[in-house]
Amino acid sequence: MANRLATESSPYLRQHADNPVDWYPWGPEAFAAAVAQDKPILLSIGYAACHWCHVMAHESFEDAETAALMNLLFINVKVDREERPDVDAIYMQAVQAMTGHGGWPLTVALTPTGEPYWGGTYFPRVERPGIPSFQRVLHTIASAWHERRDAVTRTTTAMRDLLQQQATPGPVGAPLDLAVLERAMGTLARRFDPIHGGFDGAPKFPQAMSLDFCLRWHVRTGDPNALLLAHRTFLAMVRGGIHDQVGGGFHRYTVDAAWLVPHFEKMLYDNALLARLGVHLWQVTRDPEVRRATEATLTWVAREMTAPTGGFYASYDADSEGEEGRFYLWDPATLRDALGDDADLAMTYWGVTPGGNFEGHSILHVPVDPASVASRVGLTPDALEARITGIAARLYAHRQSRIWPGLDDKVLASWNGLMCRALAEAVQAFGEPRWQALAVRNGEFLRDHLVQDGRVTRVFAGGVAKGPGFLEDHAAVALAFQALHALTGDATWLAHADRIATVMAARFQDPATGAWYDTASDGEPLIVRPRDVYDNATPAGGSLALEVELARAIRTGDTTRRDAVCTQLAGLAEPMGRWPNGFGHALGVALTALAPAAPTATDPAETGTHRPAGLQADPALDALTGPGLACGPEGCAPVPSEGGHGPVT
């Protein structure tokens, strides 16, 4: 018998509708039941494309014995973090404070009033060395509630104070000036991986916003090392397993440092941020490889991620047929079956071997510089590119017959805004009209279905808009409409953007401090009103809102509005300098506030294969060596062996 999740609009929640767990969706019914029965709440937060969420579901939530224990001891609540980022943010902060780490599935024990007193992430069905079984966890946290209530109260009091402190704006410390941004650039350079690109070691995340800041820093200052960092990292990702070499688009992240083995989920927001980075990088470098990868990403969005309504879907799962990555893997026999005589070239180009590089199969990647491959097989680089393009199309057709990963077909306002903006900027940069219709149609969908009287709705699913929009939704949609105005010249887009911005300021900004909150002033009361200032996998709502305000200030010449933006950014100056990877988008906004300009090509007349000085093609990305450079007030110096560390997004 299906549980309460069967009627939910979220595909992730419906995945759990047939669990023997007596799940509740987040809402007053669950909390009322917890109070009435004096039971703690077991809160489980995840999302449809999350591999380890599926593992825990199969091991525990589908297990009758474990489910019976959950039903006996708890009121069980399941949350889709993509529909409720406010709930996720609060309890993720709590778990990180308790354990020093976080992730999904997020597992939290709450009092009947919603206060967290214990938290963790994934727990196995059977005990493992150093990891308790989920059933042992259930017994322990339930007994704490019933037998050690005083200890629980002490924990919840401490957590409530901590969460409130984190949500309260602090005093403005260091001033916002270029020295802060120079310090941030130096920190990024010290964390740069000179061998594989990107920052630090495994796991390796794209960090598109930090890379975009590096690119902007190069444009403003001429620093060649900032460009080298952004360009080398983007090419490493493009040639790596994180990039779907056949279908286009990027996976979420890689478990290794070399961009080879991804977690195979594909998220709309990652691809929106990486596509926009690719557009900006091409504007500066005119590198055709950057453009091809960026356009392949947009092609993937048009082909696989676009709903009949014009909205963009949320994600594709990592798993198919119960195995992670199966949809994307190849081996020599399959390639020969699909390609015939072209299989040898495909295996050479994409590094396919009989033993494979992932569980006996091969993740396609480009281990050697394409120019070197062209020389080895007796082709010109252009001829090789044409052959590979045709081969990839044949492999894509072959892959169509496989069982596809699950699609999360809900449409999220903020993620759509990010992608719409990327498309609009791609049209202006590449001069390709095919993306304009897609961008405008998406904007019209957002305007007609998710915006009413300047207020943005969070989700469109099952033909219905639901859930009040958060700060990130309002700001991302406003930025998309600003971009559509810049693209089309149609002033109505700007009017829509300004109306959203006005509502946004009225509902999400504290009139006393100017701080931005993630939920509206008339939104659902939670244990704390969340205010997350970090740019994590997506830009923080606050940094997006500051960009909206700054754009309005620059357009209208409103110095008061611009000063207010700078004041808010100054409140983040110290952490931006120390932990720039947690403030990638905010750093870009700050740079625009201090030195407004737009990225331009090194040579606007150059449209061929130009690379800036110092960025000659390397024989192989995996052979890149030599120290990185850290840039500070005294210039650039070699990176020491150990760099600084801070929050990693």
Side-chain angles (χ1 to χ4, degrees):
M1 180 177 179
N3 58 44
R4 295 173 185 82
L5 302 185
T7 58
E8 289 295 305
S9 62
S10 161
Y12 172 67
L13 296 185
R14 292 200 307 273
Q15 286 174 3
H16 295 270
D18 293 320
N19 293 168
V21 179
D22 185 19
W23 290 115
Y24 287 76
W26 179 272
E29 182 185 2
F31 289 97
V35 170
Q37 299 176 41
D38 191 31
K39 286 184 178 180
I41 288 172
L42 186 74
L43 175 64
S44 177
I45 303 178
Y47 57 103
C50 169
H51 170 70
W52 287 103
C53 298
H54 300 324
V55 172
M56 191 165 178
H58 296 324
E59 291 179 347
S60 295
F61 303 150
E62 296 171 7
D63 176 68
E65 181 182 341
T66 304
L69 189 61
M70 294 171 66
N71 296 338
L72 174 67
L73 299 177
F74 297 94
I75 298 299
N76 301 287
V77 176
K78 177 61 77 172
V79 167
D80 181 342
R81 78 173 185 93
E82 295 167 355
E83 285 197 348
R84 294 301 304 262
D86 55 336
V87 173
D88 179 60
I90 289 171
Y91 296 109
M92 181 63 75
Q93 286 181 352
V95 171
Q96 288 173 330
M98 293 177 192
T99 69
H101 65 274
W104 299 277
L106 194 67
T107 309
V108 196
L110 313 180
T111 70
T113 54
E115 296 175 306
Y117 68 90
W118 174 92
T121 53
Y122 161 81
F123 293 94
R125 169 74 171 80
V126 178
E127 201 100 356
R128 297 179 188 173
I131 308 178
S133 70
F134 188 49
Q135 289 194 17
R136 181 152 75 90
V137 166
L138 295 174
H139 282 294
T140 302
I141 58 180
S143 66
W145 170 251
H146 292 292
E147 300 169 15
R148 298 185 298 279
R149 193 75 60 96
D150 288 347
V152 168
T153 300
R154 287 193 295 271
T155 299
T156 57
T157 300
M159 290 306 308
R160 184 172 57 249
D161 292 345
L162 176 64
L163 292 170
Q164 187 60 58
Q165 181 182 8
Q166 291 177 335
T168 302
V172 175
L176 178 67
D177 56 24
L178 287 176
V180 171
L181 307 188
E182 193 164 24
R183 182 186 179 196
M185 186 64 239
T187 302
L188 291 172
R190 285 190 295 275
R191 297 182 65 177
F192 177 61
D193 177 351
I195 306 299
H196 304 295
F199 303 103
D200 301 321
K204 194 69 78 67
F205 290 84
Q207 303 278 13
M209 292 172 282
S210 296
L211 295 171
D212 196 66
F213 167 68
C214 293
L215 184 61
R216 291 172 181 274
W217 183 257
H218 161 76
V219 171
R220 304 302 191 272
T221 68
D223 177 1
N225 301 298
L227 176 58
L228 184 73
L229 189 157
H231 195 179
R232 181 171 291 179
T233 299
F234 193 82
L235 289 182
M237 288 190 288
V238 166
R239 298 177 185 181
I242 193 173
H243 182 217
D244 181 356
Q245 304 289 330
V246 169
F250 293 85
H251 300 292
R252 179 71 194 94
Y253 67 96
T254 59
V255 299
D256 64 313
W259 303 110
L260 176 61
V261 180
H263 265 311
F264 290 89
E265 62 264 40
K266 292 170 94 173
M267 315 298 294
L268 181 68
Y269 62 78
D270 283 317
N271 286 280
L273 296 171
L274 286 166
R276 187 166 183 252
L277 171 64
V279 169
H280 295 171
L281 188 57
W282 183 83
Q283 287 178 292
V284 174
T285 66
R286 293 298 198 257
D287 183 340
E289 189 174 0
V290 170
R291 177 168 177 169
R292 284 194 298 269
T294 303
E295 292 194 316
T297 299
L298 300 180
T299 298
W300 169 73
V301 171
R303 183 172 54 200
E304 296 182 18
M305 297 295 285
T306 304
T309 59
F312 299 135
Y313 299 134
S315 65
Y316 271 98
D317 205 335
D319 298 4
S320 58
E321 301 181 69
E323 296 180 19
E324 184 180 14
R326 179 171 182 144
F327 184 74
Y328 301 99
L329 301 178
W330 300 88
D331 55 54
T334 306
L335 289 176
R336 292 193 187 283
D337 180 58
L339 301 174
D341 292 342
D342 283 334
D344 287 334
L345 177 59
M347 288 189 284
T348 297
Y349 185 82
W350 282 310
V352 177
T353 62
N357 53 31
F358 180 72
E359 299 180 354
H361 301 279
S362 286
I363 301 166
L364 300 189
H365 69 302
V366 184
V368 178
D369 185 272
S372 297
V373 176
S375 177
R376 183 188 307 174
V377 300
L379 295 172
T380 66
D382 287 345
L384 174 66
E385 176 58 33
R387 288 276 300 277
I388 292 299
T389 299
I391 288 171
R394 290 162 64 190
L395 291 182
Y396 184 83
H398 185 277
R399 200 172 71 179
Q400 292 284 86
S401 64
R402 298 180 179 179
I403 296 175
W404 280 63
L407 171 67
D408 186 337
D409 62 358
K410 69 176 179 288
V411 175
L412 297 170
S414 64
W415 298 8
N416 273 244
L418 295 175
M419 183 56 78
C420 183
R421 184 189 195 188
L423 282 161
E425 293 186 10
V427 176
Q428 292 187 292
F430 298 152
E432 287 282 356
R434 55 184 163 152
W435 308 126
Q436 179 159 340
L438 191 62
V440 170
R441 187 162 173 254
N442 181 254
E444 291 170 345
F445 165 80
L446 293 172
R447 178 198 65 199
D448 296 341
H449 294 281
L450 289 178
V451 181
Q452 184 173 9
D453 297 329
R455 298 201 75 162
V456 180
T457 304
R458 173 67 176 175
V459 183
F460 187 85
V464 177
K466 59 169 283 190
F470 302 101
L471 177 60
E472 64 180 70
D473 298 305
H474 288 76
V477 171
L479 288 168
F481 289 174
Q482 289 177 354
L484 288 173
H485 168 254
L487 172 64
T488 65
D490 184 346
T492 59
W493 288 116
L494 198 58
H496 290 307
D498 285 349
R499 188 172 190 185
I500 292 172
T502 299
V503 170
M504 183 177 74
R507 295 295 184 181
F508 294 90
Q509 191 173 27
D510 185 337
T513 65
W516 295 90
Y517 285 89
D518 296 331
T519 56
S521 54
D522 58 351
E524 176 189 345
L526 301 171
I527 61 169
V528 65
R529 189 180 181 191
R531 176 179 174 268
D532 189 357
V533 300
Y534 288 101
D535 297 315
N536 291 300
T538 56
S543 65
L544 288 170
L546 290 174
E547 186 179 8
V548 172
E549 290 294 283
L550 181 61
R552 296 178 79 192
I554 292 172
R555 185 181 80 241
T556 62
D558 186 341
T559 56
T560 300
R561 188 186 301 272
R562 181 169 173 174
D563 289 346
V565 170
C566 289
T567 297
Q568 287 297 309
L569 289 167
L572 302 174
E574 196 276 335
M576 280 197 297
R578 290 182 62 192
W579 301 303
N581 287 103
F583 295 92
H585 190 79
L587 285 164
V589 177
L591 191 52
T592 301
L594 293 172
T600 57
T602 303
D603 178 0
E606 187 72 31
T607 59
T609 59
H610 172 75
R611 291 173 183 261
L615 251 181
Q616 289 77 26
D618 295 293
L621 278 173
D622 59 0
L624 291 173
T625 57
L629 294 176
C631 301
E634 290 76 36
C636 296
V639 176
S641 59
E642 294 184 7
H645 295 274
V648 178
T649 61

